[in-house]
Amino acid sequence: AGVDEALRYADMDEYANLCGLLPAEKNSGSSARMEQMRSRVRSAVEKAYSQGAQQAIVRDYLAGRGAFEDSVALLKPIRSEYRYLYNADDILRNYKKLAGWDAFACRCIVLFCLTCAGYNTFSAFSLNGDQKQSIDAFISALAGGGLPVRDCITVLAAMHENWYQEEAKRILRAAVEEHFVTPEGLEALADAALSSSAAARVMAVEGLDALTARPDCAGEARRALLACAGDTSKQVQEILVQCYVRHPEWEKDYLAMLGSRKAAQRSL
């Protein structure tokens, strides 16, 4: 009965530990408690950013200011690097346990992926043992909130780069394939292969390569893969070479690249 008072007076370490004792049922927290948890997360996260301008961007973003679909642009002024999040991930994990993947929880993970290189995102997906269900729900929430596919894949790629458990990485890759590597999603996947982060471009290129095996979209997937030939990332180039070698029937396209004015295409 005194949990709200105890939480109100707890310091950050105590708060994170007490949150772990809250019941796991979704929507079991009062609106006041949930707002208090959001406030604590925002306060903890802000400490990871040393500059006042960066803290203001983080504060506004987590307060819901600015369209969710513009997350990459809103957070672009903040360089992505490892940051210590001062128990924010512990509190967020328990917030998500109560609220599910609501707008605030989604913004936190997107923020961590775009400005903290995906650091401390793993625990939010492993509470109940069913990581696939949690990842699927997260992806659905991102898409439902309007985040473009290229940015969804960028977020998932950052998580994949940071997570260390191979089974979790496998589930992430499978989720990308299930949600985005489809004939209906080919256009958005092609956009991701050109316009997202390097790690996300690798995922997108691999997805397009898989789609070349489908007769209903092989031609479009081929054109999308060939459009990536000017990519300057060594990692992406290596994946493209592997894709191209598997398709000797595209010889005319490769010969055309040799006559290109773009050095990256000729080199590839």
Side-chain angles (χ1 to χ4, degrees):
V3 63
D4 288 312
E5 184 175 8
L7 288 170
R8 186 163 61 250
Y9 289 105
D11 64 24
M12 196 59 72
D13 288 330
E14 294 165 348
Y15 194 93
N17 290 330
L18 285 171
C19 283
L21 302 177
L22 296 176
E25 293 80 10
K26 188 177 178 180
N27 299 322
S28 61
S30 66
S31 58
R33 183 186 303 168
M34 301 306 286
E35 176 52 39
Q36 183 191 72
M37 292 179 78
R38 287 191 289 268
S39 177
R40 286 281 186 144
V41 171
R42 288 193 294 264
S43 176
V45 171
E46 283 179 31
K47 293 180 180 179
Y49 300 84
S50 57
Q51 301 177 21
Q54 291 185 352
Q55 291 180 345
I57 292 172
V58 170
R59 189 181 309 117
D60 288 345
Y61 182 73
L62 293 184
R65 299 186 182 94
F68 186 55
E69 65 189 52
D70 297 329
S71 292
V72 169
L74 293 171
L75 298 173
K76 188 176 181 180
I78 303 177
R79 179 180 177 181
S80 182
E81 57 190 10
Y82 286 97
R83 291 180 168 88
Y84 182 65
L85 295 169
Y86 300 97
N87 291 320
D89 58 319
D90 291 328
I91 304 172
L92 176 63
R93 180 179 68 246
N94 290 289
Y95 175 87
K96 182 256 173 182
K97 180 176 67 176
L98 300 175
W101 287 115
D102 67 355
F104 178 76
C106 286
R107 283 192 178 232
C108 285
I109 297 297
V110 171
L111 174 72
F112 295 173
C113 287
L114 297 184
T115 70
C116 302
Y119 180 60
N120 276 20
T121 55
F122 179 77
S123 62
F125 295 87
S126 58
L127 267 182
N128 300 320
D130 192 344
Q131 287 181 324
K132 183 182 185 307
Q133 183 180 21
S134 186
I135 291 170
D136 285 341
F138 175 64
I139 294 174
S140 296
L142 293 183
L147 197 68
V149 168
R150 64 176 181 273
D151 301 335
C152 289
I153 297 179
T154 291
V155 168
L156 296 170
M159 290 160 54
H160 185 271
E161 292 273 291
N162 180 267
W163 290 8
Y164 57 89
Q165 292 190 353
E166 287 304 316
E167 176 61 15
K169 287 176 175 283
R170 184 195 67 76
I171 293 173
L172 268 176
R173 290 193 297 270
V176 170
E177 182 176 349
E178 178 181 342
H179 287 267
F180 303 116
V181 184
T182 64
E184 299 77 17
L186 195 152
E187 184 177 350
L189 195 64
D191 175 46
L194 294 173
S195 308
S196 52
S197 68
R201 296 200 304 278
V202 168
M203 280 189 168
V205 165
E206 290 174 340
L208 290 170
D209 185 41
L211 290 177
T212 61
R214 297 185 55 132
D216 55 343
C217 57
E220 290 183 55
R222 169 183 142 270
R223 285 189 288 274
L225 277 175
L226 293 170
C228 298
D231 200 298
T232 57
S233 165
K234 183 177 179 180
Q235 188 180 14
V236 176
Q237 288 174 355
E238 290 174 352
I239 298 296
L240 285 171
V241 167
Q242 294 172 20
C243 295
Y244 292 169
V245 166
R246 286 193 290 270
H247 292 282
E249 71 275 15
W250 297 354
E251 179 183 4
K252 290 183 179 180
D253 297 304
Y254 307 148
L255 291 174
M257 284 185 204
L258 286 174
S260 172
R261 293 182 178 181
K262 297 180 180 179
Q265 290 185 345
R266 295 196 306 273
S267 175
L268 188 65

